[in-house]
Amino acid sequence: MVGGGGREHALCWALQRDAPSTTLFAAPGNPGTAQLATNLPIAVTAIDELVAAARAQRVDFVIVGPEAPLAAGLADRLRAAGVPVFGPSARAARLESSKAFAKEVMAAAGVPTAGSRTFTDVNQALTYIDAHVEPLVVKASGLAGGKGAVVCETRTAAAATARAFLTDGTLGAAGREVVVEDFLEGEELSVLALTDGERIVILPPAQDHKRLGDGDTGPNTGGMGAYAPVGLTSPALLARVRREVLEPTLRAMADRGAPYQGVLYAGLMVSAEGVPNVLEFNCRFGDPEAQVILPVLPPGVTAGLGAIALGSWRPELGVLAPVGAAVTTVLAARGYPDKPETGAAIEIPTDLGEDVVVFHAGTTVDAGGVLRATGGRVLNVTAIGATVRDAARRSAAAAERIRFAGKQYRRDIARREIARAGAA
Ligand code: AMP
């Protein structure tokens, strides 16, 4: 398992749940994965060392969690070294690492998405923005850790954002190319599918919460919580996503000589008419979406990750129905997302209850054995239950009981879904 966040802890947990005798290595892992795997102190971007470790440990296959190593070609390097890997090649990962490329593929393949233009020249971008209706969206094309997409209420704000990315280089290389996109209305839905490039299995969709504060207020973050399943999902909608988004995209990638293998994550804006417009593609499991999708998968699905890596995947179903519900609440450090404080000592009660799993995201164990916060998003408190309402209640209750100085979290994860279920 390459990675050291909540997503990778959740993946280790799901693999172990499905196949308790699995031997796992995590690089670099975290104190959470250490309970399930042997952590190897190798950074996710240290490609040579990762390849060497995979060979030295004679692993059956590698799962790459985060996008950066995929974009940097880790999957290619592992394959070249004869190590089976779950995750796309660098060329296929461009669906995430270049929004300009993703837009080009979608336009060519007829995938529903917002109208857009791509720019590297600031003056051309400003001229286009000047004639655009409000609101509009300005996106850095490259990987920007969730900071690259800015919804702008006004042309003035959009112009300022374009200047910041293109002229001031506030996001470095990621912002040297920008996509200016039409604003779309609707409801967001994250649809993740496993694929070997040909076959597609759609996982139970999830919804995440990007804003820091309750009621979707405050700054954008990497994600403050998520839940699955989502009531908006219907068999008809997923059939449309398969037919209009996933199949044409995979075909287009194969036609370009960059067949896509791994998990393809479509961030959708579903219109009132039910059109699944693609806002973005990700080339890996979402974080924190994985922390709710994996717990509601039917038993045994994670074996598919290895089968995809090995080229022997023959799934029986095209869509997986969720088993129960899961809600995760992200506990973040004081100052997140701008300037997260590190070092706070963490106390996790041992009696959080059945079906509450605390995934580690930004933690370390210090020399004295004390668990401490190291990152912006520190822990993901996932509760599994019969319904979203039940899981949300227990996730929130557990989130409250975990203690560290400066803890920030949202108390309204899945509130909208619960209101919808209540109204239904
Ligand atoms: P992205 O990184 O492209 O998924 O964008 C991050 C967030 O910005 C999305 O989750 C949406 O909330 C919002 N967003 C992005 N593109 C659009 C769009 N074209 N219309 C409306 N909202 C958008």
Side-chain angles (χ1 to χ4, degrees):
M1 181 70 54
V2 175
R7 164 183 46 213
E8 289 77 23
H9 185 184
L11 280 162
C12 287
W13 174 87
L15 288 162
Q16 199 68 257
R17 185 189 66 165
D18 280 351
S21 62
T22 305
T23 303
L24 285 166
F25 296 89
N30 62 38
T33 65
Q35 297 161 15
L36 305 165
T38 303
N39 285 347
L40 305 172
I42 308 172
V44 300
T45 47
I47 291 189
D48 290 337
E49 284 178 67
L50 290 169
V51 174
R55 292 186 57 128
Q57 303 295 349
R58 299 168 160 275
V59 302
D60 297 303
F61 71 99
V62 173
I63 297 172
V64 184
E67 60 276 20
L70 289 166
L74 176 59
D76 307 76
R77 287 285 309 282
L78 285 165
R79 276 186 203 109
V83 180
V85 52
F86 176 84
S89 67
R91 286 185 66 204
R94 286 185 78 211
L95 277 180
E96 173 168 2
S97 65
S98 168
K99 286 188 191 284
F101 173 77
K103 293 302 271 193
E104 207 182 290
V105 170
M106 285 189 268
V111 173
T113 184
S116 73
R117 286 269 304 274
T118 295
F119 301 95
T120 51
D121 179 284
V122 71
N123 290 319
Q124 285 176 12
L126 295 177
T127 305
Y128 180 75
I129 287 168
D130 206 36
H132 201 289
V133 293
E134 297 172 336
L136 64 171
V137 186
V138 178
K139 296 182 178 183
S141 182
L143 293 181
K147 297 198 181 82
V150 185
V151 175
C152 303
E153 292 303 326
T154 63
R155 284 183 284 274
T156 313
T161 304
R163 269 198 213 94
F165 290 170
L166 286 167
T167 310
D168 307 338
T170 50
L171 291 179
R176 294 297 178 199
E177 186 173 43
V178 305
V179 174
V180 181
E181 199 170 88
D182 301 346
F183 178 81
L184 296 178
E185 310 234 23
E187 185 154 1
E188 288 189 53
L189 186 68
S190 301
V191 178
L192 285 74
L194 303 180
T195 181
D196 58 2
E198 237 176 274
R199 301 164 189 87
I200 297 170
V201 171
I202 299 179
L203 307 182
Q207 217 163 42
D208 76 345
H209 296 58
K210 286 273 179 229
R211 300 292 200 99
L212 181 68
D214 283 358
D216 291 326
T217 55
N220 258 316
T221 70
M224 293 300 290
Y227 65 90
V230 182
L232 169 71
T233 307
S234 67
L237 176 63
L238 295 186
R240 261 188 102 154
V241 172
R242 169 187 296 276
R243 198 173 59 241
E244 297 178 27
V245 175
L246 300 171
E247 286 175 352
T249 301
L250 293 177
R251 219 178 295 126
M253 294 304 290
D255 288 348
R256 283 162 194 257
Y260 190 99
Q261 179 260 61
V263 59
L264 180 58
Y265 171 141
L268 304 173
M269 184 72 86
V270 181
S271 74
E273 297 76 37
V275 179
N277 288 295
V278 176
L279 297 180
E280 65 165 348
F281 283 122
N282 291 322
C283 63
R284 33 79 194 177
F285 282 98
D287 187 344
E289 291 88 335
Q291 290 88 309
V292 295
I293 293 173
L294 295 165
V296 303
L297 291 181
V301 175
T302 59
L305 277 55
I308 289 173
L310 292 157
S312 59
W313 194 49
R314 299 293 177 271
E316 281 165 21
L317 298 172
V319 178
L320 296 179
V323 178
V327 174
T328 198
T329 302
V330 172
L331 306 185
R334 178 163 31 224
Y336 179 75
D338 294 334
K339 276 209 181 101
E341 281 175 17
T342 61
I346 303 165
E347 279 174 55
I348 305 178
T350 50
D351 61 341
L352 288 177
E354 247 179 73
D355 291 334
V356 173
V357 194
V358 180
F359 295 121
H360 289 237
T363 68
T364 190
V365 176
D366 72 12
V370 177
L371 186 68
R372 292 190 183 275
T374 56
R377 292 187 292 168
V378 179
L379 295 168
N380 312 139
V381 188
T382 294
I384 304 162
T387 62
V388 169
R389 181 193 299 272
D390 171 45
R393 186 178 50 78
R394 286 186 299 107
S395 173
E400 191 177 332
R401 291 190 57 213
I402 294 173
R403 289 168 47 178
F404 61 88
K407 177 181 75 174
Q408 307 190 65
Y409 69 101
R410 282 181 64 161
R411 291 158 181 80
D412 68 342
I413 305 300
R415 183 80 42 93
R416 206 164 18 148
E417 178 73 17
I418 294 164
R420 183 161 43 204

